[in-house]
Every structure is written in structure tokens, then in C-alpha cells.
Amino acid sequence: MTKKTKILLIDDDPLILMTLLHYFCDKGYAVAAANSPDLIVSKIDPHEFDVVITDYRMEPIDGIEMIRNLRNKGFAGKIILVSALCGLNKQALDELRVDAFFEKPFDIDGIHKKIKEWTGGHNFKA
């Protein structure tokens, strides 16, 4: 039996969040979205998701702190970080175990292509 790949979106910009939500839903993924990183840290079990797409600059905690929290909770899925002004080098991204980085304005098809690489070209996992 196959299950849909589950994507968690986190961005405090409602336009970006809704754009990503509609795009990945239209592609057949199971998608959840949140505009508050502290909600993710306190309320959502990250183990329910295969991929997390998160912004870097958010309040009250930024994407880096949120990623650390996810990894400390044992999240082993893929993480995509998006940002207009990140300032992190490859070594810092590797230490955080960020699997992909996209600079804003990002190419949504490029993000989808990366997810398809991870899932073998499908929107589901075995």
C-alpha cells in the first residue's frame, strides 16, 4: 500500500504559504500549512511529515531555531529552507542537516523537482 508524501509548510507570509499549499495540493501531495513556527515547535508532531519547507526569517523563532528543534525531536525527513536573506554558508546548512536551500524569490517548480528526486518521481512513498 502506498501513502501520499506528506509536506509541512511553514512561512509567516500568507501569500507564499497559500501559493505553496495550492501548488503541492494540486500535485497530489498531502499538505499541512502553518504561519507560526512556534505552533510547529509546540503542537505538531514532525514525524507525521516526510518533507518540511520552511522560511528562515520568522517571529518569534526563526527557521534555524525551528529546524534545530525538529532535528532534536528526531525528525529524519527532508528539510527545505527558503529565504531572501539567509546569510548561512553551506557548512552551517550541513550542520543543521538542511537538505536543500532555495533563495527567494524561488522557483516553485525547482522545489517540486527536488522533492520528486527524493521520492523517486512520485508524490507517494512505499
Side-chain angles (χ1 to χ4, degrees):
M1 182 175 168
T2 58
K3 297 189 312 188
K4 286 185 178 186
T5 299
K6 294 180 181 178
I7 300 174
L8 174 60
L9 308 170
I10 308 121
D11 200 307
D12 59 353
D13 182 324
L15 180 59
I16 291 174
L17 196 61
M18 293 310 293
T19 299
L20 289 168
L21 179 67
H22 289 294
Y23 179 91
F24 286 109
C25 283
D26 287 348
K27 297 290 183 188
Y29 294 90
V31 185
N35 65 354
S36 174
D38 55 331
L39 175 69
I40 302 305
V41 169
S42 64
K43 303 283 186 201
I44 294 180
D45 179 4
H47 298 91
E48 294 181 25
F49 298 94
D50 306 300
V51 178
V52 172
I53 302 173
T54 184
D55 189 21
Y56 171 62
R57 292 189 180 260
M58 297 180 288
E59 295 291 334
I61 64 171
D62 65 23
I64 300 307
E65 186 177 337
M66 194 197 59
I67 290 169
R68 280 190 186 112
N69 185 282
L70 290 173
R71 292 299 191 200
N72 287 340
K73 286 183 174 180
F75 179 71
K78 301 294 188 179
I79 295 179
I80 296 173
L81 180 65
V82 295
S83 179
L85 301 167
C86 183
L88 294 175
N89 60 31
K90 179 165 176 20
Q91 180 181 353
L93 292 171
D94 287 346
E95 287 172 7
L96 288 166
R97 297 188 343 238
V98 171
D99 299 288
F101 174 76
F102 288 85
E103 190 171 350
K104 288 181 180 178
F106 54 80
D107 173 19
I108 197 167
D109 291 323
I111 292 174
H112 185 223
K113 181 179 177 182
K114 181 57 72 177
I115 293 171
K116 287 191 325 186
E117 281 178 27
W118 295 331
T119 60
H122 305 284
N123 66 354
F124 57 87
K125 63 181 190 170

